[in-house]
Amino acid sequence: MQTLREFTRKTKRGNILKIVREHYLRDDIGCGSDLCKYCFQNEVYQLTSKHEIASSLFKFPHYLVLDTNVVLDQIDVLEEDVLHNVIVLTTVLNEVKHKSSSIYKRFNEIIHDRTRNFYVFVNEHHKDTYADRDPGETANDRNDRAIRMATKWYDTHLETSQSSKEFERSGMANTRVVLLTDDAGNRAKAEAEGILVASASEYVKSLEDFPLLLDKLSHKTFDNEKQALPQYPAHLSMKQVLEGLRLKKLLQGSFQASRENYLEGSVNVETYEKGILIQGRECLNRAVDGDLVAVELLPESEWSAPSEIVLEEKNVYADDVPSEERTEEEKDMLKQVQQAAAAASAERTPTGRIVGIVRRKWRQYCGILQPSLIENTNRHIFVPADRKIPRIRIETRQAAKLQNQRIIVTIDTWPRNSRYPQGHFVRSLGPLGDMATENEVILLEHDVPHCKFSEEVLSFLPKLPWSITAEDYAKRVDLRELDICSVDPPGCTDIDDALHCRELPNGNFEVGVHIADVSHFIRPGNALDKEAAARGTTVYLVGKRIDMVPELLSSNLCSLVGGVERFAFSCVWEVDKEANVIDKRFHKSVIKSKRAMTYEEAQVLIDDATQQSEIAKSLRHLNRLAKILKKRRMDNGALVLASPEIRFQVDSETHEPLEVEAKQMRETNSMVEEFMLLANITVAEHIAAEFTECAVLRRHPKPPPTNFDPLVKAARYQGFQVDTETGLVLSHSLDKCVKEDNPYFNTMIRILTTRCMMQAVYFISGSLQKEEFFHYGLAAPIYTHFTSPIRRYSDIMVHRLLAASIGADSTYAQLLERKSNEELCHNLNYRHKMAQYAARASVGLNTHLFFRGKEEDEEGYVLFVRKNALQVLIPKYGLEGTLYLKTDKDGKDGVERTKSEVIFTFNEEDHTQRCGNVVFHSFDPVSVRLSLDSSNVQHEKLVFRLVKPYIKGFSVEPSTDADIPPTKKTKKDTKKKN
């Protein structure tokens, strides 16, 4: 059966276009129920009599039909293994897909779980359930009518099947069909049409066997707040926001909340370099970090400056009414900040207020429940782990069980009359302080995709046993006889790269960089490719790796392990003895690495003159050439930067850190780095020439001069002049910053320089001018990433471009689409940044675990001198922390000190702190005692206390028993304990 769907569309020129489409209707679409005697069922019954649920509203067997809003709002309820026999209409599925891709994905996973009995009914193509749109009817009303029509049809259809004498003799109760919708208008119409209907909340409350499911209900309002007074200004409607943006009365940007001050934030707007400052609860107006907001700029006379006050919100309890005293305190605080800004008018920045929300970017948040003062209450305050996120009000009946647990909560709404947003409990992650729980928190808070790879993704992996075929050998260059080896960190299983070097008859050298050919296994556009693109990068935590691609590829078929034949993408040069490139070529190859080594093993092989194997000779040639390449880069202005990095030895059973040490850098680290850089630059030049509009490249913008201010001032106080005009002069300036009495001084200067840098980013060649391609840190005119496709999706994109350019693989439409590739680059930049933050958070977590229950005295250096603190760096651990100098009960360092005669005086001219005869400068050596402050269970922190130089009344008092040092856990002690 065929029907026609007609609709009109207005073109850009204002013409009205009538579109007519054929729409086929069928009568052979099965209902999926094992009760049905009429439908042809072409698969296993999805709706069965096995799963009956006890409901006080519907005391008989029933199937459920879900409205779109129920799926969108109550997905956390649906994910619980409680509701079965659910009919999913394609009308609803299409609406969910259109409105939220993330919820659509989660809903699809439920549908594909056969144990849940969710049946997709194609109501839009069934002749009895298709609803044509009436004249003047909105699309939403038509969809609501289609859902009601399908529900009615199902109920009648099943009633016919259950009216037989055979069914009556079975003694079974009749199964009915119930519609769940949270739309009051839709419910009223359904009742009028004789359909069994309920709201999601009513239905969940009726499930007497599952009382805890109530915690997962999405709440749009709490009953006692319906009459509460507004605490925030009303948001403008979307129509008003769009009109304001069009007339340029409003500005649009992404909101960033402050970690230090809960009454402050900023909005990143393209036309304002530093963004627009937002201060005060009313001006923040219910914006949550990440939201896209509309901002009204205040008159210049009302502009302010960012405060330097650390302001944490006091505990507020779930049933508190808005406190006038608290509101006045906040207003006083804001007034003080604005007065300070007025006094320093030169530092004032554009300031505004948020008047509307363009798009929410709410997600699931990790944190803990705040203990309640009221017994037997269901209402609680959730405190997020991320200080940027406001507290959230939730209702839960299992608060006692959830105390001292990490839990996940999501926001449902934030009405004007509520101090905090309202949300609901999603699930518990596990006990506070547990390693697995805390790692899960890190991954969730940094938006790292880490769920198991789906069956669809895994279906695109090669079938085992896998082997290289004769056809594969014919298409590739056979390099199995070459003495190729890999050099990686200890324990590395995802080996991306391998190297070889051999002397040619003409006296030159052939050098090859061989990269895992991941793009051979991951074909464009399939589920595996889409998953890798979404993840963007492999994330490395301490003792844990979250792969971008399934382990079969990352640690097996793609990994260039020793002694095994593997596919590679090779970049091979002919170079002379001075490392000048004479010729280059790219080809897909088959290699067989002769040995997989660690940096240390390779270094030993190079240094041991008795070793004369081909691998040892190859490594020595590579090392010599690498030194020449590095010197040439340095002479061109490349920067040698530094960051404090540490490595943990982790207990194989408990996964807790046993030892911690600063990472060691050897010549072999630099050797591998130089040839990877050379490969990346060589490939970048090639693909940019071949694909001028769509090459995937990486740039590192030059920092603005103001970024270097802290570095220049710190060096000047030490008697050194740092010139930042160009990368070359900066590099030379850094080389001169050397102190014979302080060997760590140059490293600290380079750490400061690293913090002045901008973030390197991926981009598409056609989106920028050639002069903007420059990579500042490497002093390279053009650069890309080619050498790590197992752990970076950008490298897979580059492999595909390179393969297409040399005829080793076919091209495809999306590969050459600038817009889609730009979107991919935006995601890769975000994922790369989040992966770095997650790795740092993991180091912080393991550092805290290492210092838990013990104290250590360590040597360090003052990195910065601040108005009320010293920033101290501990080279042994690569740790950095704050040594507060206040003498009152500031509580910031976890140790309450009483007021004493100890007074520190800050000198703004030379940035020093003086106490009596003791003066602290940047880079001065100090001795500090490290311990862990666990008074805040959610935000543990390392405490730094001064040991030397000794200041009476401030430094740690010397022990009366000189033989008793601060306590230390040893590896042996830890093992005994376990």
Side-chain angles (χ1 to χ4, degrees):
M1 183 178 169
Q2 178 184 327
T3 185
L4 297 177
R5 296 175 67 185
E6 296 182 6
F7 55 95
T8 57
R9 181 173 290 166
K10 193 174 183 179
T11 66
K12 288 182 179 178
R13 293 184 177 181
N15 299 325
I16 302 297
L17 194 65
K18 184 177 180 180
I19 299 172
V20 180
R21 286 184 182 162
E22 293 179 343
H23 189 79
Y24 291 92
L25 301 178
R26 298 167 56 174
D27 58 4
D28 61 344
I29 297 173
C31 66
S33 172
D34 63 354
L35 296 171
C36 180
K37 305 297 180 188
Y38 303 103
C39 290
F40 169 72
Q41 310 289 358
N42 57 1
E43 56 178 292
V44 178
Y45 295 118
Q46 285 289 82
L47 305 170
T48 71
S49 326
K50 294 177 183 176
H51 299 285
E52 289 190 15
I53 191 164
S55 165
S56 58
L57 271 179
F58 307 103
K59 299 180 180 180
F60 42 80
H62 54 274
Y63 298 158
L64 296 174
V65 175
L66 307 178
D67 197 356
T68 306
N69 50 28
V70 170
V71 178
L72 291 171
D73 294 338
Q74 310 296 351
I75 187 68
D76 293 317
V77 171
L78 299 177
E79 283 180 328
E80 287 297 299
D81 190 9
V82 173
L83 302 184
H84 294 260
N85 287 336
V86 176
I87 299 161
V88 180
L89 305 178
T90 48
T91 305
V92 172
L93 203 56
N94 291 335
E95 275 197 294
V96 171
K97 184 178 182 180
H98 176 70
K99 291 184 176 180
S100 173
S101 58
S102 60
I103 291 178
Y104 175 74
K105 186 178 178 182
R106 291 166 67 186
F107 193 45
N108 245 331
E109 287 176 5
I110 302 170
I111 292 168
H112 284 96
D113 182 354
R114 290 275 179 162
T115 64
R116 295 297 306 277
N117 306 96
F118 276 56
Y119 179 69
V120 177
F121 178 63
V122 190
N123 66 305
E124 292 289 356
H125 289 276
H126 193 289
K127 69 180 182 65
D128 295 328
T129 58
Y130 173 70
D132 213 349
R133 189 168 163 184
D134 294 335
E137 188 178 36
T138 66
N140 188 58
D141 287 345
R142 179 262 164 201
N143 289 344
D144 285 347
R145 184 162 57 84
I147 293 166
R148 294 196 303 275
M149 186 184 292
T151 308
K152 183 80 172 172
W153 176 84
Y154 248 103
D155 201 35
T156 307
H157 179 72
L158 292 178
E159 190 178 356
T160 306
S161 294
Q162 295 173 98
S163 59
S164 66
K165 289 183 179 179
E166 183 185 346
F167 184 82
E168 287 177 11
R169 283 197 296 270
S170 71
M172 292 171 61
N174 275 24
T175 297
R176 301 290 305 276
V177 180
V178 176
L179 172 62
L180 295 188
T181 175
D182 287 337
D183 184 330
N186 199 19
R187 275 205 307 277
K189 288 177 183 176
E191 286 171 355
E193 293 170 17
I195 297 170
L196 296 175
V197 65
S199 70
S201 176
E202 290 168 345
Y203 186 76
V204 170
K205 287 174 183 174
S206 76
L207 304 180
E208 295 163 354
D209 294 339
F210 302 97
L212 296 182
L213 199 60
L214 284 168
D215 287 1
K216 304 211 168 193
L217 273 175
S218 173
H219 292 283
K220 294 300 179 187
T221 184
F222 287 159
D223 293 338
N224 70 331
E225 286 192 339
K226 290 176 182 175
Q227 306 301 322
L229 293 173
Q231 297 190 43
Y232 297 95
H235 285 150
L236 298 181
S237 67
M238 186 53 68
K239 184 178 179 181
Q240 290 171 312
V241 167
L242 293 174
E243 183 67 12
L245 293 171
R246 187 180 69 81
L247 297 174
K248 299 190 175 173
K249 291 181 179 178
L250 302 177
L251 300 164
Q252 178 178 297
S254 176
F255 174 68
Q256 282 192 321
S258 168
R259 286 185 190 277
E260 283 75 33
N261 188 337
Y262 76 99
L263 293 176
E264 194 168 277
S266 63
V267 176
N268 295 325
V269 178
E270 284 185 9
T271 49
Y272 290 82
E273 186 183 337
K274 292 188 176 180
I276 295 173
L277 179 65
I278 312 292
Q279 285 182 331
R281 185 180 289 280
E282 289 189 2
C283 290
L284 291 169
N285 200 5
R286 295 170 283 158
V288 176
D289 187 65
D291 286 350
L292 192 64
V293 299
V295 183
E296 181 181 47
L297 202 62
L298 295 174
E300 198 166 338
S301 60
E302 296 180 33
W303 287 7
S304 183
S307 68
E308 295 183 2
I309 301 168
V310 176
L311 194 60
E312 290 186 28
E313 191 165 16
K314 295 176 183 176
N315 279 354
V316 179
Y317 296 94
D319 290 293
D320 279 4
V321 294
S323 163
E324 290 183 14
E325 184 182 339
R326 196 187 314 125
T327 306
E328 287 304 315
E329 281 180 10
E330 289 174 356
K331 285 181 179 177
D332 287 344
M333 188 67 68
L334 184 61
K335 196 173 180 181
Q336 288 175 29
V337 169
Q338 289 169 343
Q339 285 172 350
S345 56
E347 297 178 10
R348 290 198 300 173
T349 61
T351 308
R353 59 170 163 257
I354 293 169
V355 294
I357 305 294
V358 179
R359 186 174 65 248
R360 289 290 192 188
K361 202 178 178 184
W362 292 343
R363 57 180 175 85
Q364 294 184 337
Y365 303 102
C366 304
I368 58 173
L369 274 189
Q370 183 175 293
S372 178
L373 296 177
I374 304 165
E375 289 186 14
N376 303 320
T377 180
N378 290 339
R379 292 187 180 157
H380 296 271
I381 293 289
F382 166 81
V383 183
D386 187 346
R387 295 181 190 272
K388 289 183 171 185
I389 305 302
R391 297 170 191 203
I392 302 168
R393 298 181 63 187
I394 68 167
E395 284 190 2
T396 178
R397 289 139 195 84
Q398 45 187 327
K401 179 184 171 185
L402 298 178
Q403 291 299 333
N404 297 317
Q405 296 265 316
R406 290 279 193 188
I407 66 172
I408 295 179
V409 162
T410 191
I411 297 176
D412 299 325
T413 184
W414 195 345
R416 284 180 68 195
N417 54 11
S418 174
R419 180 181 179 86
Y420 297 125
Q422 296 166 1
H424 65 271
F425 166 75
V426 176
R427 64 188 170 99
S428 171
L429 294 173
L432 267 167
D434 174 71
M435 177 59 83
T437 302
E438 298 301 337
N439 274 335
E440 180 80 359
V441 170
I442 288 171
L443 294 173
L444 289 168
E445 283 300 306
H446 294 92
D447 195 17
V448 175
H450 60 287
C451 57
K452 288 182 180 178
F453 291 99
S454 69
E455 289 300 321
E456 185 185 10
V457 168
L458 297 175
S459 70
F460 287 96
L461 292 173
K463 302 295 181 282
L464 295 178
W466 176 85
S467 61
I468 299 174
T469 64
E471 187 183 354
D472 293 326
Y473 287 121
K475 289 180 180 178
R476 293 171 177 265
V477 178
D478 190 343
L479 303 179
R480 289 175 291 171
E481 298 307 313
L482 289 181
D483 291 299
I484 294 171
C485 64
S486 62
V487 185
D488 291 281
C492 179
T493 59
D494 52 342
I495 302 172
D496 287 287
D497 53 85
L499 297 155
H500 89 272
C501 180
R502 62 177 177 174
E503 199 164 357
L504 297 173
N506 63 3
N508 289 339
F509 294 97
E510 179 187 86
V511 176
V513 166
H514 311 277
I515 306 302
D517 188 8
V518 182
S519 62
H520 171 83
F521 297 98
I522 301 180
R523 304 310 297 163
N526 67 23
L528 178 56
D529 180 50
K530 288 176 181 175
E531 182 68 21
R535 294 187 178 217
T537 181
T538 292
V539 180
Y540 294 90
L541 305 184
V542 175
K544 185 181 176 72
R545 187 180 81 206
I546 295 85
D547 285 322
M548 181 184 79
V549 297
E551 192 175 9
L552 178 63
L553 296 182
S554 66
S555 297
N556 188 349
L557 301 185
C558 290
S559 185
L560 306 182
V561 291
V564 184
E565 294 182 10
R566 287 288 180 255
F567 288 154
F569 209 148
S570 299
C571 176
V572 183
W573 305 271
E574 180 183 340
V575 300
D576 62 21
K577 291 182 179 180
E578 296 305 311
N580 296 305
V581 175
I582 309 299
D583 191 21
K584 67 176 186 295
R585 64 184 184 274
F586 309 103
H587 48 66
K588 296 229 174 180
S589 57
V590 180
I591 69 167
K592 186 175 182 179
S593 173
K594 297 296 184 284
R595 190 172 170 188
M597 291 176 281
T598 65
Y599 290 116
E600 186 177 5
E601 288 169 344
Q603 192 66 56
V604 169
L605 205 57
I606 290 170
D607 295 340
D608 186 353
T610 63
Q611 295 288 338
Q612 292 300 317
S613 66
E614 290 303 315
I615 291 290
K617 291 177 184 177
S618 175
L619 287 172
R620 290 189 191 109
H621 289 317
L622 288 169
N623 196 36
R624 187 184 65 79
L625 292 168
K627 289 176 181 177
I628 298 170
L629 290 171
K630 184 170 184 176
K631 184 179 184 306
R632 191 175 296 155
R633 279 197 313 110
M634 296 303 108
D635 291 344
N636 287 337
L639 299 174
V640 178
L641 302 176
S643 59
E645 290 190 83
I646 55 179
R647 183 182 300 283
F648 291 92
Q649 285 184 26
V650 179
D651 188 290
S652 58
E653 296 172 9
T654 66
H655 303 291
E656 290 193 0
L658 299 173
E659 300 290 343
V660 58
E661 59 187 10
K663 285 186 182 177
Q664 286 187 320
M665 297 300 288
R666 298 179 172 86
E667 281 187 358
T668 45
N669 291 78
S670 180
M671 176 191 78
V672 173
E673 181 187 15
E674 288 305 318
F675 285 106
M676 296 306 113
L677 291 174
L678 182 61
N680 287 335
I681 291 169
T682 306
V683 171
E685 291 169 343
H686 181 85
I687 62 172
E690 293 286 330
F691 303 99
T692 55
E693 290 296 310
C694 58
V696 178
L697 302 174
R698 187 164 174 82
R699 61 191 283 263
H700 183 210
K702 180 182 178 181
T706 53
N707 277 31
F708 289 111
D709 286 349
L711 169 69
V712 172
K713 287 178 183 176
R716 189 184 298 139
Y717 297 142
Q718 294 297 315
F720 295 98
Q721 191 68 35
V722 173
D723 191 344
T724 62
E725 187 64 31
T726 66
L728 182 59
V729 297
L730 173 60
S731 178
H732 291 162
S733 296
L734 296 177
D735 290 341
K736 292 173 185 174
C737 294
V738 177
K739 281 189 168 186
E740 289 186 11
D741 60 339
N742 186 347
Y744 200 66
F745 176 73
N746 188 258
T747 303
M748 288 190 286
I749 282 286
R750 294 183 190 276
I751 289 171
L752 286 186
T753 310
T754 304
R755 292 175 188 182
C756 301
M757 294 294 128
M758 305 284 281
Q759 185 86 24
V761 291
Y762 297 107
F763 70 102
I764 301 301
S765 55
S767 62
L768 293 172
Q769 297 297 316
K770 280 193 175 179
E771 53 269 22
E772 295 178 280
F773 292 6
F774 191 73
H775 194 292
Y776 181 78
L778 298 173
I782 193 167
Y783 190 67
T784 193
H785 274 160
F786 163 75
T787 54
S788 295
I790 293 178
R791 60 185 179 90
R792 289 190 306 234
Y793 188 77
S794 56
D795 302 53
I796 293 177
M797 296 170 73
V798 169
H799 276 227
R800 288 171 179 168
L801 287 165
L802 184 60
S805 73
I806 63 172
D809 205 345
S810 57
T811 186
Y812 57 99
Q814 193 179 350
L815 185 67
L816 308 179
E817 263 183 34
R818 197 172 100 181
K819 188 176 179 182
S820 63
N821 284 338
E822 280 179 349
E823 289 173 0
L824 276 171
C825 284
H826 286 313
N827 180 59
L828 294 179
N829 291 330
Y830 171 71
R831 293 294 179 203
H832 184 72
K833 182 172 68 175
M834 288 296 107
Q836 286 182 317
Y837 292 164
R840 288 176 201 165
S842 179
V843 168
L845 166 65
N846 281 269
T847 304
H848 290 171
L849 289 173
F850 179 74
F851 280 101
R852 187 171 287 168
K854 64 176 175 176
E855 293 181 332
E856 286 197 11
D857 289 356
E858 295 296 344
E859 300 303 314
Y861 294 95
V862 176
L863 202 55
F864 301 110
V865 178
R866 303 194 187 280
K867 289 182 180 180
N868 67 335
L870 304 176
Q871 202 74 9
V872 178
L873 181 69
I874 310 296
K876 178 181 175 181
Y877 295 136
L879 289 176
E880 190 181 318
T882 306
L883 177 65
Y884 289 97
L885 304 178
K886 285 187 175 181
T887 56
D888 59 334
K889 288 187 179 181
D890 61 348
K892 283 184 180 176
D893 59 359
V895 179
E896 291 193 352
R897 302 195 202 99
T898 56
K899 290 191 176 181
S900 67
E901 69 280 0
V902 176
I903 297 173
F904 286 88
T905 308
F906 178 66
N907 188 321
E908 292 207 24
E909 288 184 14
D910 59 2
H911 275 239
T912 60
Q913 287 278 5
R914 176 183 291 274
C915 180
N917 296 324
V918 179
V919 181
F920 292 100
H921 303 80
S922 292
F923 311 116
D924 281 354
V926 291
S927 179
V928 294
R929 179 163 295 178
L930 305 176
S931 60
L932 188 69
D933 171 23
S934 302
S935 57
N936 183 332
V937 292
Q938 182 148 245
H939 297 291
E940 291 184 326
K941 54 191 172 186
L942 271 180
V943 177
F944 285 57
R945 286 182 289 166
L946 187 66
V947 177
K948 294 177 185 175
Y950 177 71
I951 300 173
K952 188 172 176 60
F954 179 76
S955 298
V956 176
E957 291 298 327
S959 174
T960 52
D961 187 346
D963 296 325
I964 303 176
T967 57
K968 288 193 181 187
K969 275 184 191 171
T970 64
K971 189 171 180 176
K972 194 182 289 184
D973 294 334
T974 311
K975 284 284 186 185
K976 278 181 185 176
K977 183 180 173 183
N978 294 328

